[in-house]
Amino acid sequence: MGQKGSQTRARILDATQELVEAGGYFGAGLNQVIAVSGAPRGSLYFHFPEGKDQLVGESIRRAGQTIGAAFEDLAASGASAAEFVEGVLRHLGDRLEESGWSKGCPVATVALEMAAASDPLQQACSEVYASWEAALRARLAGRPDAEDLAVTILALIEGALLLAKAHRSRRPLERVAAQLAVLLR
């Protein structure tokens, strides 16, 4: 694929991610994706011949990698497990607040809407969550409860993001960070 094709594909994925995060799977209609991306309709079908589920699945994976990269940056700082989790919550809170409370978790809405109905989307959501759990487990290495604790932390982060979005407040994220700091001592 040439540079122009790669740029068009990236614009389509960017538009899809924006629409999915703001309105979920059903808020990202193909006509909306075309309008927001400025891509020709034919490009959408050329780059994503399997249709909307392929497009949304790739968008979810891409968003998951972006957040995963933020996890890696925090891990590279040498922070303790508690500092790492607090940094993750701060990063996600910044992202949420800067977006006007529209960008919570890029995976959660699609997981809630489509995981039971679409195997490809369920797989994409599962892969992203598994990668985030692995990043958390790596920061908890040496603890006998690392596997269970990583799932617990991820569930608390997801819940805090949902509450922060619903309340349009960082307070749930801050409260979860404080409780995790105690748990991770």
Side-chain angles (χ1 to χ4, degrees):
M1 178 181 334
Q3 182 177 359
K4 185 176 179 183
S6 295
Q7 290 172 345
T8 299
R9 189 175 202 286
R11 280 197 338 263
I12 292 169
L13 285 168
D14 288 343
T16 302
Q17 183 178 338
E18 179 183 323
L19 291 165
V20 165
E21 287 198 56
Y25 179 86
F26 298 106
L30 296 181
N31 288 333
Q32 291 172 292
V33 171
I34 291 165
V36 172
S37 70
R41 181 175 300 277
S43 293
L44 180 72
Y45 296 108
F46 173 78
H47 291 290
F48 305 96
E50 295 171 35
K52 184 175 177 180
D53 283 4
Q54 178 189 11
L55 173 61
V56 172
E58 288 191 36
S59 173
I60 288 169
R61 285 182 179 95
R62 192 168 174 246
Q65 290 169 349
T66 300
I67 291 179
F71 283 18
E72 290 173 18
D73 291 345
L74 287 165
S77 72
S80 69
E83 292 166 337
F84 172 78
V85 171
E86 192 274 330
V88 166
L89 285 160
R90 185 175 46 254
H91 170 77
L92 294 171
D94 290 347
R95 184 176 182 277
L96 181 59
E97 191 169 7
E98 289 166 7
S99 71
W101 307 102
S102 68
K103 287 188 175 184
C105 174
V107 180
T109 303
V110 173
L112 290 168
E113 291 176 335
M114 297 301 297
S118 169
D119 290 341
L121 290 175
Q122 178 276 325
Q123 185 64 38
C125 294
S126 180
E127 288 171 14
V128 172
Y129 281 135
S131 72
W132 292 348
E133 283 178 38
L136 290 165
R137 254 191 328 273
R139 294 304 301 154
L140 300 166
R143 290 183 64 123
D145 60 349
E147 191 167 332
D148 291 340
L149 194 51
V151 172
T152 301
I153 291 168
L154 183 57
L156 287 169
I157 289 170
E158 286 293 316
L161 279 171
L162 178 63
L163 291 172
K165 191 172 185 177
H167 296 305
R168 293 185 184 169
S169 168
R170 294 177 77 107
R171 189 73 182 124
L173 297 165
E174 293 163 355
R175 293 172 79 179
V176 165
Q179 290 305 305
L180 286 173
V182 172
L183 181 66
L184 293 171
R185 281 191 206 152

